[in-house]
Amino acid sequence: MALSLANLSINQATLRQQCSLDQAITEISEAGIGGIGIWRDKLHETGVSQARRLIESAGLKVSGLCRGGMFTGEDPALADTLSASAVFEDNKRAVDEAAEVEAQCLVLVVGGLGPKSKALDVARTAVADGLQKILEYARNAGVVLAIEPLHPLYNADRSVVSTLGQALDLCDILGEGIGVAVDVYHTWWDPDLEQQIKRAGHDRLLAFHICDWLYTQRDPLLDRGMMGDGVIDLEKISCWVQDAGYSGQYEVEIFSKFDWWNRPAKDVLEMCASRYRECCPH
Amino acid sequence: MALSLANLSINQATLRQQCSLDQAITEISEAGIGGIGIWRDKLHETGVSQARRLIESAGLKVSGLCRGGMFTGEDPALADTLSASAVFEDNKRAVDEAAEVEAQCLVLVVGGLGPKSKALDVARTAVADGLQKILEYARNAGVVLAIEPLHPLYNADRSVVSTLGQALDLCDILGEGIGVAVDVYHTWWDPDLEQQIKRAGHDRLLAFHICDWLYTQRDPLLDRGMMGDGVIDLEKISCWVQDAGYSGQYEVEIFSKFDWWNRPAKDVLEMCASRYRECCPH
């Protein structure tokens, strides 16, 4: 008997070019998959209330909302640096949206240095300050925050938090209501990964993102691989995460402008399910 | 009065497309720069004895020879996996060459996973074993080995040693005669960098490579920036290295297929000298 897909979730980025949120909900649900990770731009297109109705009626769990953060005011998608108050306002909206769609967590990408700064310490202080401020708001809204350390490759433009250890150091300072999102693409290289996953434990492992790192990449951002097509030992990392007490869904997040974004959604989801069964321990 | 350039060295990779080793020695010497970092492929073209004569007559110091290592048998420049004994033979030749050109150190890039493996622990064990074996040979030859941790970006294809901390853990096990090459491009993002540079100290800081990380990169390998053109706080890292007791040269290593490789060697060297004076503390 084929394994249930209730514990599998598809991050919308995996179907970014094929599907609106409405379409993604339908496709994922029809594939028998249990969850969805939602992106805010797609959520705004559909409208939050409408999205909530569709998700409920499809019976999907929302494994995470992407994304809050960008506390340094530097977002590569924007032409300018945002003020701390503008960043805070946007994060409040993200928390409200996460509450409304009942996301398991709001995923935070903390922000990079930006093109004009060299001051990593200043950026990291801005991140700690921004986290503290939004955490209070999130606690009141009943939303759990998940810091997602990004690969050191993105230190300049997306995240000055590069390791799980760094993210957990922040969690230690901040206290209740905040944990981490572990993405194998960002963390697989880290010699300290097993130990930091243990350190995180059940209470702070809030999301687990899977895909693969292709040996030869055509783009540093948009050429992620399907599970099994690259060099990541997904079975081993999955075991570490499970042994540490993670009980949430496995969320597939594949940015793939050369390959998976150009295939029909049904085919992509079929492959996600098949590779999830092959590569992840159950 | 302009600051002396005796403490500046130019890694040949910076003039890769413009110069043979003979030409690089002439250009660097005429620019009043004190050192050169040599690559073995270029060294072989010129011949080791001839290279030695040219370097001596130009009065250059050899800040390092690039490179030994590749202990996993996986070198992206090769079509196949090398056996451990073939790797050992090549590393012995590298040690002999380093001795003959009186290099300050033999730089080691330890090797990546390769395209077909997922076993990071196996690869890391192969690295530790390979290092131990070649270290004995190097000690007898009077050559000092420098492990160069590479950016986590290269974990799959070039180096399963990604952080200075990892490299120093290996040094702790291996004992005398081995240290590290710190390249700002590979290490600047690391939240633990200052502490690990301190930990390395005078005896294990064997080489210091400088360049910059461009905010927008056109290639993950061959689009490094000139000092001052990117986001690395070179002054701060240089201070850490100096305060820890590093007394060697500052070696400029810029792989740049879109920019610096297409300019006359003289212009590149002039800019290296100028930016070294601007960006590095003296």
Side-chain angles (χ1 to χ4, degrees), chain A residues 74-76 113-121 124 151-158 160 162-163 166 188-191 212-215 217 220 228-234 236, chain B residues 74-76 113-121 124 151-158 160 162-163 166 188-191 212-215 217 220 228-234 236:
Chain A
E74 299 292 342
D75 184 333
L113 261 183
K116 290 173 193 160
S117 172
K118 298 175 194 287
L120 270 175
D121 49 354
R124 287 176 178 150
H151 195 285
L153 175 56
Y154 307 113
N155 203 35
D157 59 353
R158 282 176 171 76
V160 292
S162 308
T163 66
Q166 251 182 305
W188 73 281
W189 60 272
D190 186 352
D212 215 330
W213 180 282
L214 299 176
Y215 182 78
Q217 293 189 333
D229 287 346
V231 295
I232 298 178
D233 191 337
L234 198 51
K236 180 171 273 184
Chain B
E74 299 293 344
D75 184 332
L113 262 183
K116 290 172 192 161
S117 172
K118 298 175 194 287
L120 269 176
D121 49 354
R124 287 176 178 150
H151 196 284
L153 176 55
Y154 307 113
N155 204 36
D157 60 352
R158 281 177 171 77
V160 292
S162 307
T163 65
Q166 252 183 303
W188 73 280
W189 59 273
D190 187 350
D212 215 329
W213 180 283
L214 299 175
Y215 181 77
Q217 292 189 334
D229 287 346
V231 295
I232 297 178
D233 191 338
L234 197 52
K236 180 172 274 183

Side-chain angles (χ1 to χ4, degrees), chain A residues 16 36 67 82-83 105 142 166 183 197 204 229 244 263:
Chain A
R16 176 157 195 88
I36 184 169
R67 59 188 190 194
L82 289 183
S83 69
C105 61
Q166 251 182 305
D183 186 317
I197 286 174
R204 297 197 290 192
D229 287 346
R263 305 200 198 191

Side-chain angles (χ1 to χ4, degrees), chain A residues 9 11-12 21 36-44 48 51 55 61-69 90-109 143-146 148 181 206-207 209 251 253:
Chain A
S9 172
N11 184 295
Q12 265 198 285
L21 179 54
I36 184 169
I38 295 177
W39 277 75
R40 291 179 66 209
D41 57 338
K42 296 273 192 182
L43 179 65
H44 297 164
V48 182
I55 293 159
K61 191 180 271 191
V62 177
S63 52
L65 179 66
C66 298
R67 59 188 190 194
D90 187 58
N91 274 283
K92 286 201 291 186
R93 279 192 296 275
V95 167
D96 294 342
E97 290 162 9
E100 191 153 9
V101 298
E102 295 179 20
Q104 298 293 303
C105 61
L106 172 62
V107 175
L108 302 177
V109 170
V143 168
V144 178
L145 302 179
E148 181 171 16
L206 303 178
H209 295 179
E251 181 178 322
E253 186 178 36

Side-chain angles (χ1 to χ4, degrees), chain B:
Chain B
M1 194 189 80
L3 194 86
S4 156
L5 299 174
N7 208 35
L8 181 62
S9 173
I10 305 295
N11 184 295
Q12 265 197 284
T14 308
L15 302 172
R16 178 158 194 86
Q17 302 224 336
Q18 299 96 325
C19 294
S20 66
L21 179 54
D22 317 35
Q23 291 166 334
I25 290 167
T26 305
E27 295 281 358
I28 290 167
S29 164
E30 282 180 359
I33 292 168
I36 184 169
I38 295 178
W39 277 76
R40 290 179 66 210
D41 57 338
K42 297 275 192 181
L43 179 64
H44 297 164
E45 282 169 21
T46 296
V48 182
S49 317
Q50 167 71 353
R52 182 185 177 141
R53 276 191 295 274
L54 291 170
I55 292 159
E56 270 179 9
S57 117
L60 294 180
K61 190 178 271 189
V62 177
S63 51
L65 178 66
C66 297
R67 59 191 189 189
M70 297 295 171
F71 300 111
T72 59
E74 299 293 344
D75 184 332
L78 303 174
D80 206 1
T81 302
L82 290 183
S83 69
S85 68
V87 169
F88 183 50
E89 288 308 312
D90 187 60
N91 274 282
K92 286 201 292 187
R93 279 192 296 276
V95 167
D96 295 342
E97 290 162 10
E100 191 151 9
V101 300
E102 295 180 20
Q104 298 294 302
C105 61
L106 173 62
V107 175
L108 303 177
V109 171
V110 301
L113 262 183
K116 290 172 192 161
S117 172
K118 298 175 194 287
L120 269 176
D121 49 354
V122 172
R124 287 176 178 150
T125 300
V127 167
D129 292 349
L131 283 169
Q132 186 162 43
K133 211 167 159 194
I134 195 62
L135 179 57
E136 199 182 319
Y137 186 86
R139 282 179 185 142
N140 289 331
V143 168
V144 177
L145 303 178
I147 304 171
E148 181 171 15
L150 297 200
H151 196 284
L153 176 55
Y154 307 113
N155 204 36
D157 60 352
R158 281 177 171 77
S159 177
V160 292
V161 170
S162 307
T163 65
L164 192 52
Q166 252 183 303
L168 290 169
D169 288 347
L170 287 163
C171 292
D172 282 349
I173 295 164
L174 293 162
E176 295 295 308
I178 191 161
V180 292
V182 176
D183 186 316
V184 296
Y185 187 84
H186 294 303
T187 60
W188 73 280
W189 59 273
D190 187 350
D192 208 24
L193 184 58
E194 181 179 9
Q195 189 185 320
Q196 295 299 329
I197 286 173
K198 270 189 203 155
R199 173 185 169 198
H202 172 270
D203 290 352
R204 297 197 292 192
L205 287 170
L206 304 178
F208 183 48
H209 295 179
I210 58 175
C211 69
D212 215 329
W213 180 283
L214 299 175
Y215 181 77
T216 303
Q217 292 189 334
R218 288 156 289 186
D219 186 280
L221 189 66
L222 304 178
D223 194 20
R224 297 192 187 190
M226 179 60 68
M227 297 81 76
D229 287 346
V231 295
I232 297 178
D233 191 338
L234 197 52
E235 181 163 355
K236 180 172 274 183
I237 300 176
S238 299
C239 284
W240 292 342
V241 167
Q242 288 188 357
D243 290 349
Y246 179 67
S247 55
Q249 291 179 317
Y250 283 54
E251 182 178 322
V252 179
E253 186 177 37
I254 303 175
F255 298 83
S256 171
K257 75 172 173 180
F258 303 102
D259 190 347
W260 299 101
W261 283 355
N262 305 317
R263 305 200 198 190
K266 275 186 189 16
D267 297 355
V268 176
L269 294 176
E270 197 175 306
M271 188 61 87
C272 288
S274 155
R275 292 295 179 83
Y276 163 66
R277 286 174 167 137
E278 270 178 47
C279 302
C280 299
H282 301 287

